[in-house]
Structures are given as C-alpha cells and as structure tokens.
Amino acid sequence: MNQILKLFINSLFIAFSIVLVTSCSDGKSSGLNKENKSSMKRTEIGHITLINSFEVPAGKLDESIKYWEVCRDFLKTQPGYISTKLHQSMKVDARFQLVNVALWKSPQAFKDAANKMGKELGVPPPEGLKPNASLYNIIRE
C-alpha cells in the first residue's frame, strides 16, 4: 500500500480512536458528564461529522480533487454514509486548500467504510497530499 495512502488511513483511524476513547471513558479523566459522554457517540440529529482539511502540494490541486472524487464515489456506496462536500479555499496561499465535510450515521459506520476503502480502493493519493481528519459532533446551532 502506498505510503501516503497509509498516512491517510492512519489519520482517519486516529480521528476515530480519539472519538472512541472519549466516548468510552468513564467521564472522570476527561471531565465529561454522562450527558456529554453519550453525545460523543452520535449527535441529537443522528450523525457525526468528518472534517478533513488537506494540505495540497503546489501543482497538485486538480489531481487532489480527482482523488477526492474517487474516494467520495467509493464511500457514498457504504452503509452509514449520508453526504459529503468538498470546499476550496478562496485564499491562494491558505495552508488547507481543500476541506472535506462529510456526514456519517455513526463513528463505527465511518470506521468500517474507511477500513474497506483502505483495502479495496487501490488508487494512491497525489504525492505530498496531507490529510488532517477528525470526527466531530454538533454542539450548538
């Protein structure tokens, strides 16, 4: 498996692990009460949000967008997928040129889909593309 694809998959699993550890803790060490602890598993509206900011190497923007499209097309066929949108910075020299915001039914659905994508996709990301992924819950509207 390509080194960058491994990095991408590892960042997704790190994000999932943070959510999993927080949601499974007893709430004492993290300062979470029972209400907050349960909300880490799923928001009131029934989904979690993946936010993945990409550092895109110079000259690799189009290739990175095409790679995202391949990943999107794979992931949208997976159980638990709700939606995804790719955003591009309006600032040319922004650190994160691309930001993906995706909705999933649960952390487990996302983990399963990311795991399957890592095994089956077979398309390496553009050289130097650096994802920065984490899972989030909506806490205010």
Side-chain angles (χ1 to χ4, degrees):
M1 187 183 293
N2 181 307
Q3 182 77 6
I4 295 176
L5 183 56
K6 284 182 183 178
L7 177 64
F8 177 74
I9 298 300
N10 284 341
S11 71
L12 296 177
F13 284 103
I14 289 169
F16 173 75
S17 297
I18 291 167
V19 171
L20 185 63
V21 167
T22 304
S23 66
C24 293
S25 74
D26 64 1
K28 293 176 185 171
S29 60
S30 64
L32 297 173
N33 62 29
K34 288 183 182 182
E35 180 181 322
N36 288 341
K37 185 170 77 169
S38 65
S39 72
M40 292 300 292
K41 294 177 186 171
R42 188 177 300 173
T43 65
E44 290 178 12
I45 53 178
H47 65 262
I48 54 100
T49 304
L50 165 73
I51 299 176
N52 195 355
S53 304
F54 293 93
E55 296 179 57
V56 180
K60 300 281 185 172
L61 183 62
D62 289 340
E63 187 179 349
S64 297
I65 292 170
K66 287 177 184 169
Y67 174 73
W68 178 88
E69 290 170 339
V70 170
C71 293
R72 175 209 55 207
D73 292 345
F74 179 89
L75 292 170
K76 73 181 183 180
T77 66
Q78 301 306 301
Y81 170 89
I82 298 172
S83 67
T84 190
K85 292 181 182 177
L86 185 64
H87 306 264
Q88 182 178 357
S89 176
M90 295 174 66
K91 187 176 175 186
V92 178
D93 61 346
R95 178 177 176 192
F96 301 111
Q97 282 295 307
L98 299 173
V99 176
N100 179 56
V101 179
L103 302 178
W104 287 86
K105 288 191 177 180
S106 69
Q108 187 63 47
F110 170 72
K111 177 186 174 197
D112 292 346
N115 208 1
K116 188 173 182 181
M117 185 176 76
K119 292 176 184 174
E120 297 179 15
L121 188 60
V123 177
E127 186 176 337
L129 182 67
K130 295 179 185 175
N132 299 279
S134 192
L135 297 175
Y136 296 86
N137 280 315
I138 297 170
I139 63 167
R140 302 278 191 286
E141 285 193 37

